């Protein structure tokens, strides 16, 4: 839950004020999310700017809350520097979309100034001598932080456009600087920045033709106004106006030919985190700038968040591989996203978490929204919630595919229910159980009956997996050595072998010992088709009444997954 307390001393720029700012900003973006989504027309009319800003702020707030939680009892409280750095890092790793990526860089700019702990402390002390704790010194400090934030945001965007979130950030910084130069307190600077942002936002339709034609203000700028309003509230204790910008929720008029609009610009949005040097990122910017547009690269100190719109998503990811190590890769096709505001929600959808690109494609063919697990990474609740939202359904069946995802799935489902979506979580512990549930999914039947049938199918499926031991360790089947083939049944190691095929046969024999009608084999990316042929023959020879079906798991999948129904 967000931290909702107000600072003990209004106008004091400290760690607790940052925590309150974060909580209030998250709440403000949550209230405004749908309105901001409704006016999202630039750079792509995909109706997700409010959602992306909210998810970015949620990631930042969670990281900040963790920073406070980890402070042990009896030690000094979390410092201002520690708080802003944790907040900015959370935004960086959880940034979504163009607007969320820029918001992350704005927070990084704030952290670059407020996170300079000796300077921050010195400024506060100097201010306290003349004007009381946290007044003149912290006001000038906050003004510099807002200026640095705007400068870094402009620098992160390859081709800045006026009339956008950047324009609003720049206006807020200039207004804040003026208040700081006049010896204003931190609350004075925050109020000036908020008012400057509101005024700049109201002018964005005159600066950007796409906004003028639609009769709306910039969606990203609208979100930034909410964030700055939360800053003023955190420092002053006064609540901003509920409707700070006239016409904020004006619906976007649709063109006579929607397809004509959808064909403008690149077809895909690509986002990933990247571990790379600053020099490599400079070269990456040049490569990506030649591939597409809306390029934003934020971060530093070896970790970056990359956002770009391209027609060739593979080339964008490959550029990241050349630069360093990309991960948490998200590729979105704008064809469906642009229709989000015009298409009615479907009645029911399935969201499945799967470890493998081939399995993700298989789920997509079955009509499910897939969340791809890459190289052992476990999706967090915001990613599952994002997938539920992307399903655009009134009812959603969520298949987490692993016991370690139960808590995240439950949290995502709870939030989705609060947004009016009916969600059922089926406690699948393996991708093959998810496939079994999908096989009996009936989108036209009643929700309760569908969930019962899918739960029964998943529960009736025993699951096995083959993996290679990375080190010597104790298992339920004895001691294994690095390089041994481990055969797991229902999550426990049942067989230790040296050969993949022989170990797979031993696992199958144990799983079929209690009966079965269908064996599902999911082959990993480096496993030859010959293994599937051998196992199919093995099943047919010993169990004549059992059918076998084989799929390719694709990249990121285990060497072999086995399901027995």
């Amino acid at each position: 839950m967000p931290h909702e307390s107000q600072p003990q001393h209004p106008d004091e720029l400290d760690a607790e004020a940052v925590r309150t700012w974060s909580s209030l900003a998250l709440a403000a973006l949550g209230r405004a999310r749908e309105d901001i989504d409704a006016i999202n027309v630039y750079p792509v009319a995909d109706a997700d700017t409010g959602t992306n800003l909210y998810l970015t702020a949620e990631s930042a707030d969670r990281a900040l809350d963790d920073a406070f939680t980890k402070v042990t009892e009896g030690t000094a409280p979390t410092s201002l520097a520690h708080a802003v750095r944790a907040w900015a890092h959370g935004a960086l790793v959880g940034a979504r979309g163009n607007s969320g990526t820029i918001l992350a860089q704005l927070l990084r700019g704030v952290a670059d100034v407020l996170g300079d702990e000796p300077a921050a402390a010195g400024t506060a002390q100097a201010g306290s001598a003349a004007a009381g704790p946290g007044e003149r010194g912290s006001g000038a400090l906050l003004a510099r932080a807002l200026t640095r934030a705007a400068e870094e945001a402009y620098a992160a965007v390859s081709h800045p456009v006026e009339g956008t979130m950047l324009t609003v950030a720049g206006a807020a910084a200039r207004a804040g600087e003026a208040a700081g130069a006049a010896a204003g307190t931190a609350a004075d600077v925050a109020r000036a920045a908020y008012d400057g942002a509101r005024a700049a936002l109201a002018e964005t339709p005159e600066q950007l033709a796409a906004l003028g034609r639609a009769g709306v203000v910039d969606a990203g700028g609208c979100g930034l106004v909410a964030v700055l309003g939360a800053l003023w509230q955190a420092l002053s204790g006064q609540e901003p106006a509920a409707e700070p910008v006239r016409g904020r929720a004006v619906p976007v008029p649709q063109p006579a030919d929607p397809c004509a609009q959808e064909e403008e610009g690149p077809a895909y949005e690509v986002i990933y985190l990247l571990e790379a040097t600053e020099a490599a990122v400079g070269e990456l910017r040049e490569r990506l700038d030649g591939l597409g547009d809306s390029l934003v690269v934020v971060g530093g100190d070896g970790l970056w968040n990359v956002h770009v719109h391209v027609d060739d998503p593979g080339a964008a990811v490959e550029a990241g591989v050349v630069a360093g190590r990309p991960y948490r890769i998200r590729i979105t096709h704008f064809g469906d996203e642009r229709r989000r505001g015009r298409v009615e929600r479907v009645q029911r959808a399935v969201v499945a978490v799967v470890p493998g690109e081939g399995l993700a494609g298989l789920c997509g063919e079955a009509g499910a929204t897939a969340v791809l697990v890459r190289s052992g990474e476990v999706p967090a609740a915001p990613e599952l919630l994002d997938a539920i939202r992307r399903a655009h359904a009134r009812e959603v069946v969520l298949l987490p595919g692993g016991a370690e995802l139960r808590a995240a799935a439950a949290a995502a489902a709870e939030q989705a229910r609060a947004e009016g979506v009916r969600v059922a979580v089926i406690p699948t512990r393996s991708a093959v159980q998810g496939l079994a549930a999908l096989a009996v999914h009936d989108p036209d039947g009643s929700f309760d009956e569908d969930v019962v049938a899918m739960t029964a199918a998943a529960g009736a499926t025993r699951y096995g997996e083959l993996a290679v031991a990375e080190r010597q360790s104790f298992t339920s089947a004895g001691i294994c050595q690095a390089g041994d083939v481990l055969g797991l049944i229902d999550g426990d190691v049942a067989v230790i072998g040296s050969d993949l095929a022989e170990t797979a046969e031993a696992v199958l024999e144990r799983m079929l010992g209690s009966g079965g009608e269908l064996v599902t084999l999911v082959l990993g990316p480096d496993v030859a088709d010959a293994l599937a042929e051998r196992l199919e023959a093995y099943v047919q020879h010993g169990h004549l009444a059992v059918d076998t079906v084989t799929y390719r798991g694709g990249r990121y999948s285990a060497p072999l997954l086995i399901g027995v129904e």
Side-chain angles (χ1 to χ4, degrees):
M1 293 295 293
H3 178 81
E4 296 182 352
S5 67
Q6 298 291 335
Q8 293 181 352
H9 305 288
D11 192 47
E12 185 171 335
L13 188 57
D14 58 8
E16 193 62 36
V18 172
R19 193 181 191 190
T20 303
W21 179 13
S22 174
S23 178
L24 292 172
L26 180 62
L29 288 171
R31 292 190 299 270
R33 181 178 62 82
E34 292 186 0
D35 286 347
I36 296 174
D37 281 345
I39 62 170
N40 175 200
V41 299
Y42 184 86
V44 177
D46 49 359
D48 66 355
T49 290
T51 298
N52 286 336
L53 286 168
Y54 178 81
L55 291 175
T56 303
E58 185 178 51
S59 177
D61 188 71
R62 186 168 57 251
L64 180 57
D65 193 56
D66 288 345
F68 273 82
T69 301
K70 291 176 182 177
V71 175
T72 58
E73 187 175 350
T75 63
T78 300
S79 67
L80 172 61
H82 185 202
V84 293
R85 287 171 184 160
W87 194 30
H89 181 75
L92 174 66
V93 299
R96 301 299 182 95
N98 195 2
S99 55
T101 307
I102 293 174
L103 176 61
Q105 189 70 348
L106 288 167
L107 296 187
R108 178 180 174 83
V110 169
D112 283 348
V113 174
L114 301 188
D116 185 358
E117 195 162 9
T123 305
Q125 290 168 4
S128 64
E135 291 188 2
R136 293 177 63 179
S138 61
L141 185 68
L142 178 59
R144 289 202 303 274
L146 295 174
T147 297
R148 177 74 66 84
E151 290 172 348
E152 293 198 6
Y154 266 95
V157 178
S158 290
H159 302 284
V161 174
E162 295 303 328
T164 64
M165 188 175 183
L166 295 176
T167 305
V168 176
R174 289 189 295 275
E177 281 282 7
T185 66
D188 292 335
V189 170
R191 177 58 193 263
Y194 174 55
D195 288 343
R198 292 175 64 201
L201 180 61
E203 296 175 358
T204 55
E206 301 174 8
Q207 297 171 300
L208 195 56
L211 303 178
R213 288 193 299 269
V216 297
V217 296
D218 179 67
C222 190
L224 181 56
V225 166
V227 172
L228 291 171
L231 171 62
W232 177 53
Q233 184 178 357
L235 292 174
S236 69
Q238 301 181 53
E239 188 171 352
E243 192 69 31
V245 178
R246 180 170 46 85
R248 187 177 73 178
V250 174
V252 178
Q254 302 302 328
D257 181 8
C259 295
Q261 184 187 46
E262 289 168 9
E263 291 173 358
E264 295 178 0
Y268 295 90
E269 177 184 61
V270 178
I271 304 174
Y272 50 80
L273 288 178
L274 178 70
E275 292 179 357
T277 65
E278 190 163 346
V281 168
E283 297 176 0
L284 174 65
R285 288 178 186 271
E286 293 183 7
R287 292 191 63 180
L288 293 180
D289 198 28
L291 290 175
D293 58 30
S294 297
L295 174 60
V296 185
V297 182
V298 304
D301 302 321
L303 181 62
W304 311 82
N305 192 305
V306 179
H307 170 280
V308 66
H309 295 172
V310 293
D311 282 320
D312 186 350
V317 174
E318 180 63 28
V321 173
V322 172
R325 187 179 82 88
Y327 59 103
R328 293 194 186 178
I329 303 166
R330 291 170 48 83
I331 299 173
T332 303
H333 187 270
F334 285 133
D336 293 331
E337 296 297 308
R338 287 185 174 114
R339 297 183 180 90
R340 184 181 304 179
R342 298 195 295 270
V343 176
E344 289 291 329
R345 285 178 177 265
V346 298
Q347 183 61 32
R348 188 176 311 148
V350 176
V351 173
V353 182
V354 292
E357 292 178 338
L359 288 173
L362 192 65
C363 290
E365 292 174 4
T369 297
V371 178
L372 178 60
V373 179
R374 300 175 176 86
S375 303
E377 293 181 10
V378 179
E383 189 169 355
L384 299 182
L385 178 61
D386 186 36
I388 293 173
R389 289 167 172 162
R390 285 189 286 114
H392 307 303
R394 299 180 181 88
E395 301 168 339
V396 172
V397 180
L398 178 58
L399 308 174
E404 70 280 6
L405 284 167
R406 286 186 180 178
E414 182 180 1
Q415 178 62 38
R417 293 183 189 116
E419 297 175 5
V421 181
R422 190 179 183 187
V423 182
V425 180
I426 296 179
T428 53
R429 294 176 290 173
S430 171
V432 290
Q433 288 189 322
L435 293 177
L438 266 176
V440 300
H441 170 51
D442 179 12
D444 297 322
S446 75
F447 184 69
D448 291 336
E449 291 176 354
D450 194 25
V451 170
V452 168
M454 294 176 74
T455 302
T461 302
R462 300 191 69 194
Y463 61 95
E465 177 180 342
L466 265 65
V468 178
E470 296 181 355
R471 62 184 68 87
Q472 183 189 64
S473 61
F474 292 93
T475 74
S476 53
I479 300 176
C480 70
Q481 304 296 326
D484 283 348
V485 179
L486 306 180
L488 291 82
I489 299 177
D490 294 340
D492 294 323
V493 177
V495 180
I496 299 175
S498 58
D499 179 77
L500 190 67
E502 292 178 359
T503 306
E505 289 177 348
V507 169
L508 269 173
E509 187 59 33
R510 293 197 183 198
M511 294 180 71
L512 288 169
S514 56
E517 299 177 355
L518 176 66
V519 170
T520 300
L521 303 174
V522 181
L523 304 183
D526 300 322
V527 176
D529 292 335
L531 176 63
E533 295 171 0
R534 174 172 171 171
L535 296 180
E536 288 174 4
Y538 180 84
V539 172
Q540 187 176 22
H541 177 74
H543 306 272
L544 296 178
V546 179
D547 293 325
T548 304
V549 59
T550 301
Y551 301 110
R552 274 285 176 188
R555 190 168 53 152
Y556 305 118
S557 68
L560 180 67
L561 298 177
I562 302 173
V564 175
E565 302 175 43

